[in-house]
Amino acid sequence: MSAIITLSLLAVLLLYLGLFKAKKALLPVSLLGLLAAIVLYSIQWDTDAEPLYSGMVLFDHFAVAFSILSLFITGLVFLLSRDYFDSISEHVAEYYALIIFSLTGALLVVSFHNLAMLFIGIEIMSVALYILVGIRKRDFSSNEAALKYFLMGAFSTGFLLFGITLIYGATGSFDLTEIKNYLIANPHSISPLFYSGILLLIIGLSFKVGAAPFHFWTPDVYEGAPILITTFMSTVVKTAAFAGFLRLFLTCFVPLQDFWAPVLLVITVLTLFIGNISALAQQSFKRMLAYSSISHAGYMLFGILSIGAASAGAIFVYSAAYSIASVVAFAVLILVKRSRGSEHFEAFNGLAAKNPYLAFTLSVAMLSLAGIPLTAGFVGKFMMFSGVLANYHIVLLLLAVLNAAMGIYYYFRVIVAMYFRPADREEVTVNANYKAVLFIGALLTIAIGIFPSLLAGWL
Amino acid sequence: MTDLIWIVPLLPFIGFLINGIGRNILGKPLIGIIGSGVVFVSFLLSCCLFSHVYDARQAGGDGAFTVPIFEWISAGKLSVGLSFMLDPLSSIMLLIVTGIGFLIHVYSIGYMSHDPGFGKFFSYLNLFIFFMLLLVLGSNYIVMFIGWEGVGLCSYLLIGFWYKNEAYAGAAKKAFVMNRIGDLGFLIAVFLIFTTFGSFEFSSIFPQAAGRVSGDGTLLLITLLLFVAATGKSAQIPLFTWLPDAMAGPTPVSALIHAATMVTAGIYMIARSNILFTLAPVTLQIVAGIGIATALLAAAIALTQNDIKKVLAYSTVSQLGYMFLGLGVGAFTGAFFHVLTHAFFKALLFLGAGSVIHAMSDEQDMRSMGGLKKKLPITYITMLIGTIAISGIPPLSGFFSKDEILAHAFVQNKVLWVLGFIGALFTAFYMFRMLFLTFFGEFRGSKEQAHHLHESPGSMTFPLIVLAILAAFGGLLNIPAALGGGEWLAHYLEPVFAASTAKTGEFHLEHGTEYALMAASGIAAIIMAIWAYGTYVSKKTVPVADGAERSLLSRLSYHKFYIDEIYDALIVRPLNKLSVFLYKVIDRAGIDGLVNGLGRTAEESGKGIRLLQSGNVGFYIFMMVVGVIALLVYGLIKI
């Protein structure tokens, strides 16, 4: 809990720094704050976790692992922010503060033990994002994205809240333990309110993770938002949303698996196909990444679909692999866009000849996203697929493999463009922060791919 | 002491890395020193290891040490460790590989000095030594297989070293493909061994196998497959045609890989697995049959070849045939003894041939040579020693080893002995033919060549001298009891073949008979040498030109019994036709069509689905509501 408080204070401090025009201090202070939070979480690792504050939050291994992952990825995003925020807005301090606020919400989402906290966490996370997406005030597409995101977000929040209400109506409590006990106590006389509540929660959470048919906001918002905000959304926010989703279902709804699993199955298959097939036809690298993030949501839903002891570990490794690779991909996109002014695949033509380092790290990220062995993405996919196989969803697995094959096609397009398409271009200048992030990203991707136990042992 | 065994293969590997990475940066002298130096240090360590084993044998032990390095793969019952085995057999192989390897590295410094790929050459050579040491030292079939594949790879790289010449690249490919056929046999055999014995370790397999009855069906299959592997690596019928073509590589490579070490891997592997073969008498008969057939066929081809390296190549195939004959008749020690002596004299002969070629400005045709003994005295004397040794004229080394094999063959089957004897006659004749054509008579080359003739530099003559001494006296290692010798090698290797000896009983031959056999082969070899002298020195006969008319037998021999052509017609061309058919019909039309069709469908549907993303929020929310309603309807039905 001290970490969450630290972060909230940090955000306020950042706003003051902005007020006193100490722009240079923003990045170091933010990074230090994140580091402090990571340390505070790490200290908690070995203590026996009990629900705190009348059962509002629970910092068990699950919560701590996902929190550290979120903090780490946010740190990478911050490293990329040097020169970036200055170029698109004069209110730099607000950027940092809002991201930290959103992160605080995410940390609540991964550690909630009470439906009220889930709701508050999601809202803290989302409200900050609505502003961040539209922070380029004079940019039409940014405004449009923010408005769309807000409208649809508000719409889906309604479902989420309604679902929570119905669950409360059936059980008389927001507490996860109470809800679980209700199911155990009444195995045969569960109120219809409860069932409806689960369905509405699925709708609300599917929206947050960007699963079909509630995914429509994703491509438009990802495209309109500043690239770095897109990075944050598609990594930290998505990871946190999945962790919350899984935490809720893993703690409470396992006994009713027969009821909700078919719904989730349909959502998963739809998500996979819509994400992958749409990604095939994209000409813009950024939009392709948006659709690929939809398809990755599909793979991560496997973890919830085949819910069990291994689910948490699988989603953790998968989201870590996916987030790291995404950060690398977006980082290279920022650099390429800065030098070429375009987000299309053609903008990457011939990159390998002038910037072999960029091309190599991006290739590693793409291989990881495609799930090629010896990268972290493979380990993640392997854990997901083996979970599905253990539950005998053979047909689902076949569909997943088919989709993975489609993924290879569009991920490799950029590799082909970088290495095999000649183009006259200038060398892209890369500052030290970017170099560091790309190095860390590629190194971790390969390290986890070779030694999966680095991560898989956490949960 | 034995704990440090891993350094022996590691050193050449480090040499490979340094020379490989620094091939364009380091100077030629440095590359040469590093390349030879690491092998020399390995050689010194090998000597220590050898003396360690030797002491253990003197003390009455079996001299076998297993040194596990690390557990490599562990999954269920399967467990593969990188571990090394040091025993009398591998200790001698260590000395051959590092010792002769070192000499050939030194030789290469001179021989390759003008080649732009100097660094690359030494890095490959070091890599080869590394893999060969893995093959020799492995304490299980997996490590052995890794070495086996690795030396095949290096052989491929080095045969095609001058890859810009298309024929050379083709020769490399041929060697690789033929070896792969054999390797498949090895791989299946290893699988079969694992399913039968549940282990890859020699120390676990051989005692289990010794408990089985002779003629066991599984053992028969395993040994046959292992023998298929050996025919590939050691160039026996039907997979021998790659070795003569492999002469496309630089001559030191021919000496090291295609004469002294790699091609004997098949014999080493069978000697290592001797108990399996002893319990599969049918396989042993096949080994003996293939061995003697190869020995005769290759010797017959060598009679009419004019390329100095081709003669030596066929001679190698033929001598390898003798080694297999030895294995087949149960003379494991004899076969291994021949590996040892052959390594000495054949490496010597190849290096000598290299020295001649070097002096002749890359001319390899003996019809253009002649009278070189005055210009290249050291090369001449050393090659003379090598020729006497290989021809089986006492008291040089080849006599003793060949004689031991033939004596065993005599006891087992008189026909094998007669055929082996004829092969030995051929050997003496073609070797002296080569010697006389090269060094005697008048010089037949061009003026520039004559002007350029010179003895090779010290780095090349030094290995020749050392090897000549070894070739001359190597036979002392195993002088038969009939000649009052102590059979040192046989005693030293006893524990390796103990299980087999226990099954077959001691070899026994009357001393009188043995004297007669020795005298017969020794005298016959001398007669053949004299005959060759008469033909090529006294009568000054020079082999006819390529297009000239030949008698039937001569034509068959000269054209290598048309075996390449037969393989081409029976295997290569039908396979090519089949692959063209598969490519055009099955692959292009069938599989590609299907895949592209699926891809196009996906892409087209992508274009369709993309339209759903219209940018209209009202439509998005409408679609979401459709989803919500569908879910709620589902809930209604389910509750």
Side-chain angles (χ1 to χ4, degrees):
Chain A
M1 195 63 206
S2 43
I4 294 177
I5 297 168
T6 311
L7 284 178
S8 310
L9 291 175
L10 172 67
V12 177
L13 175 68
L14 288 171
L15 283 174
Y16 274 106
L17 284 177
L19 216 54
F20 296 113
K21 309 283 182 215
K23 273 189 188 171
K24 286 248 182 303
L26 286 171
L27 182 59
V29 170
S30 311
L31 287 175
L32 274 177
L34 292 180
L35 196 64
I38 289 181
V39 171
L40 288 171
Y41 269 116
S42 316
I43 294 168
Q44 268 176 323
W45 181 259
D46 277 329
T47 49
D48 286 325
E50 286 292 327
L52 302 173
Y53 306 104
S54 318
M56 285 294 162
V57 285
L58 171 64
F59 293 105
D60 52 2
H61 280 188
F62 181 97
V64 175
F66 276 100
S67 299
I68 291 179
L69 176 62
S70 303
L71 287 161
F72 175 70
I73 300 293
T74 312
L76 291 184
V77 171
F78 275 159
L79 278 174
L80 297 178
S81 71
R82 207 183 106 189
D83 304 341
Y84 183 79
F85 291 149
D86 306 300
S87 67
I88 57 173
S89 163
E90 58 271 33
H91 305 295
V92 183
E94 280 80 345
Y95 254 113
Y96 287 97
L98 284 168
I99 289 181
I100 298 280
F101 278 133
S102 183
L103 174 66
T104 314
L107 298 186
L108 281 178
V109 172
V110 303
S111 42
F112 74 98
H113 193 253
N114 186 301
L115 290 180
M117 289 311 290
L118 171 66
F119 181 74
I120 292 171
I122 285 184
E123 284 311 296
I124 294 177
M125 186 166 86
S126 304
V127 171
L129 281 177
Y130 298 149
I131 308 169
L132 282 169
V133 170
I135 204 153
R136 286 186 297 183
K137 280 186 287 192
R138 289 177 190 82
D139 184 282
F140 180 69
S141 66
S142 183
N143 290 339
E144 183 192 334
L147 192 63
K148 275 183 183 166
Y149 190 30
F150 176 66
L151 278 177
M152 286 189 276
F155 187 65
S156 71
T157 303
F159 287 104
L160 187 67
L161 199 54
F162 196 15
I164 292 174
T165 319
L166 290 180
I167 299 279
Y168 181 77
T171 62
S173 173
F174 288 132
D175 191 279
L176 294 192
T177 318
E178 294 294 320
I179 297 169
K180 185 169 82 180
N181 290 340
Y182 167 80
L183 280 183
I184 294 167
N186 312 296
H188 299 299
S189 57
I190 299 167
S191 157
L193 288 181
F194 197 89
Y195 287 109
S196 313
I198 293 181
L199 289 177
L200 293 174
L201 281 172
I202 289 181
I203 293 167
L205 290 168
S206 293
F207 175 87
K208 294 296 173 199
V209 301
F214 312 104
H215 68 282
F216 286 99
W217 61 277
T218 326
D220 290 7
V221 174
Y222 280 14
E223 175 143 37
I227 299 179
L228 214 49
I229 301 305
T230 308
T231 316
F232 182 73
M233 288 173 77
S234 67
T235 54
V236 177
V237 174
K238 185 161 275 202
T239 302
F242 260 107
F245 202 157
L246 178 67
R247 192 171 173 86
L248 180 61
F249 276 65
L250 195 59
T251 325
C252 302
F253 300 148
V254 176
L256 291 182
Q257 200 180 358
D258 289 343
F259 169 72
W260 53 261
V263 176
L264 222 48
L265 184 67
V266 173
I267 291 181
T268 306
V269 173
L270 266 182
T271 310
L272 278 177
F273 274 97
I274 290 182
N276 280 311
I277 291 182
S278 312
L280 283 181
Q282 300 306 320
Q283 295 305 320
S284 152
F285 183 67
K286 191 179 180 192
R287 219 168 156 79
M288 182 278 278
L289 284 177
Y291 281 104
S292 102
S293 93
I294 297 176
S295 75
H296 283 288
Y299 293 119
M300 286 203 254
L301 282 172
F302 284 5
I304 299 171
L305 201 57
S306 54
I307 203 154
S311 297
I315 287 196
F316 180 64
V317 173
Y318 197 100
S319 49
Y322 162 74
S323 300
I324 292 169
S326 293
V327 170
V328 171
F330 281 115
V332 177
L333 175 65
I334 290 174
L335 293 171
V336 168
K337 193 184 174 194
R338 201 179 282 167
S339 81
R340 302 281 283 191
S342 161
E343 292 165 358
H344 280 202
F345 284 108
E346 285 84 43
F348 289 83
N349 285 359
L351 188 68
K354 296 282 179 197
N355 290 76
Y357 182 70
L358 279 188
F360 174 73
T361 46
L362 182 58
S363 300
V364 171
M366 288 295 120
L367 294 177
S368 180
L369 288 176
I372 304 295
L374 294 188
T375 62
F378 170 76
V379 179
K381 274 212 173 61
F382 176 79
M383 291 173 79
M384 285 295 174
F385 287 10
S386 57
V388 169
L389 198 61
N391 281 281
Y392 303 106
H393 295 300
I394 302 288
V395 178
L396 178 61
L397 192 68
L398 286 178
L399 293 176
V401 170
L402 199 67
N403 275 284
M406 276 195 260
I408 291 175
Y409 173 81
Y410 55 78
Y411 290 127
F412 275 47
R413 254 176 84 176
V414 66
I415 299 181
V416 170
M418 289 190 300
Y419 284 91
F420 302 115
R421 299 244 192 284
D424 289 328
R425 63 182 304 146
E426 314 252 292
E427 193 182 330
V428 179
T429 47
V430 188
N431 71 32
N433 283 12
Y434 275 75
K435 273 187 189 148
V437 170
L438 293 177
F439 176 75
I440 294 171
L443 184 73
L444 281 178
T445 299
I446 294 170
I448 297 169
I450 296 173
F451 304 106
S453 50
L454 283 181
L455 271 191
W458 284 29
L459 287 175
Chain B
M1 180 65 223
T2 52
D3 292 341
L4 297 177
I5 192 168
W6 51 271
I7 299 178
V8 177
L10 186 69
L11 280 170
F13 188 70
I14 293 173
F16 156 69
L17 290 180
I18 297 175
N19 282 336
I21 295 167
R23 64 185 184 283
N24 297 324
I25 310 162
L26 305 175
K28 279 184 181 175
L30 189 60
I31 289 175
I33 289 169
I34 293 171
S36 320
V38 288
V39 182
F40 184 63
V41 178
S42 280
F43 173 66
L44 291 181
L45 282 170
S46 302
C47 290
C48 298
L49 290 169
F50 174 80
S51 77
H52 192 72
V53 176
Y54 183 77
D55 290 343
R57 285 289 295 132
Q58 290 300 88
D62 65 358
F65 305 89
T66 305
V67 189
I69 308 295
F70 60 83
E71 174 93 15
W72 182 31
I73 303 170
S74 177
K77 279 198 305 175
L78 177 84
S79 152
V80 182
L82 178 65
S83 69
F84 292 145
M85 183 158 117
L86 185 66
D87 73 341
L89 192 63
S90 59
S91 67
I92 293 183
M93 279 303 276
L94 270 188
L95 291 181
I96 299 180
V97 174
T98 55
I100 296 186
F102 166 65
L103 290 175
I104 291 172
H105 274 73
V106 172
Y107 179 90
S108 305
I109 297 177
Y111 190 82
M112 298 298 288
S113 56
H114 304 302
D115 197 284
F118 192 79
K120 189 173 76 167
F121 182 78
F122 272 89
S123 71
Y124 286 168
L125 226 47
N126 279 169
L127 186 67
F128 168 77
I129 298 280
F130 165 71
F131 278 123
M132 192 68 208
L133 289 171
L134 275 192
L135 192 164
V136 168
L137 282 174
S139 81
N140 56 50
Y141 278 106
I142 299 292
V143 178
M144 189 188 236
F145 184 68
I146 294 170
W148 187 275
E149 290 292 295
V151 292
L153 169 74
C154 294
S155 155
Y156 166 78
L157 291 172
L158 284 163
I159 295 170
F161 186 74
W162 291 309
Y163 56 88
K164 285 185 181 144
N165 180 326
E166 214 163 288
Y168 291 3
K173 200 162 66 186
K174 183 176 179 183
F176 200 69
V177 170
M178 288 226 162
N179 269 294
R180 296 301 303 166
I181 298 172
D183 294 346
L184 183 67
F186 198 126
L187 211 51
I188 301 175
V190 170
F191 296 154
L192 212 55
I193 285 172
F194 185 72
T195 48
T196 313
F197 301 109
S199 171
F200 294 119
E201 290 291 324
F202 297 143
S203 55
S204 159
I205 296 166
F206 297 152
Q208 284 187 57
R212 296 191 165 228
V213 290
S214 180
D216 183 278
T218 325
L219 286 181
L220 175 66
L221 201 54
I222 291 174
T223 50
L224 278 178
L225 287 165
L226 286 177
F227 179 57
V228 168
T231 57
K233 193 66 70 194
S234 298
Q236 295 297 294
I237 293 174
L239 299 179
F240 71 97
T241 57
W242 67 269
L243 186 56
D245 288 14
M247 296 305 124
T251 305
V253 170
S254 311
L256 177 62
I257 301 185
H258 303 119
T261 53
M262 183 188 87
V263 288
T264 60
I267 292 110
Y268 174 76
M269 184 261 289
I270 292 181
R272 177 57 82 208
S273 322
N274 61 78
I275 182 65
L276 305 181
F277 282 82
T278 306
L279 293 175
V282 178
T283 314
L284 277 185
Q285 276 170 16
I286 295 173
V287 172
I290 296 272
I292 189 65
T294 312
L296 270 178
L297 182 76
I301 294 174
L303 288 175
T304 57
Q305 298 304 308
N306 296 323
D307 181 321
I308 187 168
K309 283 182 75 180
K310 282 274 157 78
V311 175
L312 290 173
Y314 280 104
S315 144
T316 304
V317 176
S318 170
Q319 296 301 312
L320 290 167
Y322 275 108
M323 297 173 205
F324 278 98
L325 171 66
L327 295 172
V329 296
F332 293 115
T333 311
F336 189 69
F337 186 30
H338 203 53
V339 167
L340 188 64
T341 56
H342 179 256
F344 297 151
F345 57 66
K346 191 50 74 58
L348 165 64
L349 287 166
F350 264 116
L351 295 186
S355 176
V356 170
I357 295 166
H358 196 65
M360 292 285 298
S361 317
D362 294 333
E363 175 64 75
Q364 304 197 4
D365 194 325
M366 295 188 295
R367 285 170 297 194
S368 306
M369 298 176 183
L372 298 183
K373 68 176 175 182
K374 285 194 199 71
K375 297 279 186 181
L376 291 86
I378 303 176
T379 310
Y380 164 65
I381 301 222
T382 51
M383 276 192 88
L384 176 66
I385 294 171
T387 306
I388 297 175
I390 191 176
S391 303
I393 294 172
L396 273 63
S397 60
F399 167 75
F400 296 101
S401 53
K402 196 181 289 181
D403 190 71
E404 188 171 340
I405 292 172
L406 288 178
H408 274 77
F410 184 80
V411 174
Q412 185 126 94
N413 188 335
K414 302 284 185 294
V415 179
L416 288 179
W417 180 81
V418 172
L419 293 173
F421 183 74
I422 295 172
L425 298 185
F426 284 180
T427 309
F429 186 81
Y430 68 69
M431 284 312 299
F432 277 100
R433 170 180 176 266
M434 184 201 85
L435 189 80
F436 295 144
L437 279 175
T438 310
F439 290 102
F440 286 68
E442 298 295 316
F443 185 69
R444 296 181 294 270
S446 66
K447 279 242 168 66
E448 293 106 90
Q449 284 171 334
H451 179 70
H452 183 256
L453 279 180
H454 59 84
E455 180 59 282
S456 301
S459 70
M460 287 168 70
T461 48
F462 165 71
L464 287 178
I465 295 166
V466 177
L467 285 169
I469 294 168
L470 289 171
F473 299 108
L476 300 179
L477 289 174
N478 204 31
I479 296 176
L483 297 180
E487 297 192 324
W488 174 85
L489 186 71
H491 286 298
Y492 181 67
L493 290 175
E494 215 169 4
V496 180
F497 305 121
S500 292
T501 318
K503 302 274 176 194
T504 54
E506 289 284 332
F507 167 75
H508 190 70
L509 182 63
E510 288 291 329
H511 281 192
T513 325
E514 203 170 340
Y515 290 139
L517 292 178
M518 283 179 193
S521 61
I523 292 167
I526 292 169
I527 291 173
M528 294 317 281
I530 294 170
W531 186 8
Y533 187 83
T535 314
Y536 295 104
V537 182
S538 305
K539 288 195 216 151
K540 299 188 174 163
T541 318
V542 177
V544 291
D546 292 340
E549 279 291 307
R550 291 166 187 275
S551 66
L552 176 66
L553 280 177
S554 162
R555 198 159 68 223
L556 276 179
S557 164
Y558 185 72
H559 290 288
K560 304 146 195 168
F561 292 87
Y562 296 99
I563 287 173
D564 276 327
E565 287 78 359
I566 294 170
Y567 282 180
D568 195 52
L570 285 184
I571 300 167
V572 179
R573 257 180 268 163
L575 262 180
N576 271 340
K577 286 211 177 100
L578 181 68
S579 70
V580 167
F581 167 78
L582 288 176
Y583 171 67
K584 284 199 174 142
V585 178
I586 310 282
D587 192 61
R588 292 299 291 274
I591 297 174
D592 279 8
L594 186 70
V595 171
N596 289 338
L598 278 176
R600 219 165 289 137
T601 316
E603 227 176 313
E604 290 303 315
S605 50
K607 282 176 192 154
I609 288 182
R610 203 164 63 122
L611 297 179
L612 284 178
Q613 200 74 35
S614 58
N616 184 334
V617 181
F619 176 73
Y620 293 171
I621 292 187
F622 170 73
M623 290 302 289
M624 283 170 69
V625 170
V626 170
V628 172
I629 292 173
L631 250 67
L632 291 179
V633 168
Y634 165 82
L636 211 59
I637 298 165
K638 193 86 179 185
I639 305 167

